[in-house]
Amino acid sequence: MRPWLLLTAALLPGAAAAGHDVSLGVTAVTLTNGGVYNVTAPRLGLDASYAYELGAWRLGGGLRWAPAGRGNLPVEVYARALLSTQLGRWRPAVGPELGVSGLPIILPPEGGFPDDLSRQQAAQLGPAYVAVHAAPLRFAFRHFTVSALELQWGTTLNRPGSTLRLQFGLVHLGVSL
C-alpha cells in the first residue's frame, strides 16, 4: 500500500463514514450595534444548507433568505465547519461560520441627528461576518435529521465588536444522501 494512502487514513479516521446532508429550516436573525441602528425585531427567513460529514466534522454551507423588513438584498451565503459528536440519536454540533450578508438595515436618523449618521452607521455594518454556530438539540433518525433552537452569535469582519449578530434556528429538517 502506498505511504500517502496510509497517512491519509491515519489523519482522517472517519473518511470511510463520510456522508452528505441537506436541510431546510426556519431561522430568525437580529442585527444591532446598540446605537441608532438598533433593530430588535428579528427577521424571519428560510435556511437551506448542505453539509459533508467527515468523521466528527460537518463541513458545508448554505443560503439564507429573510424577506421581511427594509434593507438590502435579503440573502446571506455562508460556509461553516462544525465539530459534532454522537450519543445515540443525539448529534450536537458547534463551530465557526463565515458569511456574506445582505441583511443589515440602515434606518434613517430622526430627531436632530446629523445628516451623515446613516453613512457612519453603514461603515460599521460591512457585509462579511464571522460567528459561532451551535446546534445543541440536533437528532438523527435513520436518514433524517431534526434540529431545534440552534444559536449563532457573531460580528462583522470590517469592525469586529461594533455589531452584534444573533441568530436563532427555530427548526431544521434534513436528510442524509
Side-chain angles (χ1 to χ4, degrees):
M1 189 177 273
R2 301 200 185 259
W4 61 268
L5 187 58
L6 288 174
L7 179 62
T8 303
L11 293 175
L12 301 172
H20 303 274
D21 183 65
V22 292
S23 67
L24 184 63
V26 177
T27 189
V29 179
T30 299
L31 304 166
T32 184
N33 71 359
V36 175
Y37 170 75
N38 193 8
V39 180
T40 57
R43 292 180 72 168
L44 292 176
L46 295 176
D47 187 338
S49 64
Y50 166 81
Y52 179 71
E53 295 187 17
L54 186 61
W57 289 96
R58 293 178 46 82
L59 308 173
L63 181 72
R64 281 188 203 97
W65 178 59
R70 302 178 301 177
N72 303 332
L73 179 65
V75 175
E76 290 183 335
V77 178
Y78 62 89
R80 64 170 70 138
L82 302 177
L83 185 59
S84 180
T85 188
Q86 178 177 339
L87 299 168
R89 295 192 186 281
W90 186 37
R91 308 274 199 289
V94 66
E97 177 175 306
L98 182 63
V100 177
S101 177
L103 296 185
I105 304 166
I106 304 299
L107 298 175
E110 296 177 5
F113 290 105
D115 292 337
D116 66 342
L117 183 62
S118 292
R119 186 172 36 80
Q120 292 173 358
Q121 294 290 314
Q124 293 181 2
L125 300 172
Y129 70 89
V130 63
V132 175
H133 185 89
L137 298 177
R138 185 172 169 271
F139 300 92
F141 303 96
R142 294 189 187 197
H143 295 289
F144 299 98
T145 59
V146 176
S147 182
L149 303 177
E150 294 180 3
L151 176 64
Q152 185 184 100
W153 176 79
T155 186
T156 56
L157 285 176
N158 64 330
R159 294 182 71 187
S162 66
T163 305
L164 173 65
R165 171 192 174 79
L166 289 175
Q167 178 183 322
F168 301 100
L170 304 176
V171 66
H172 281 82
L173 302 173
V175 62
S176 296
L177 305 175

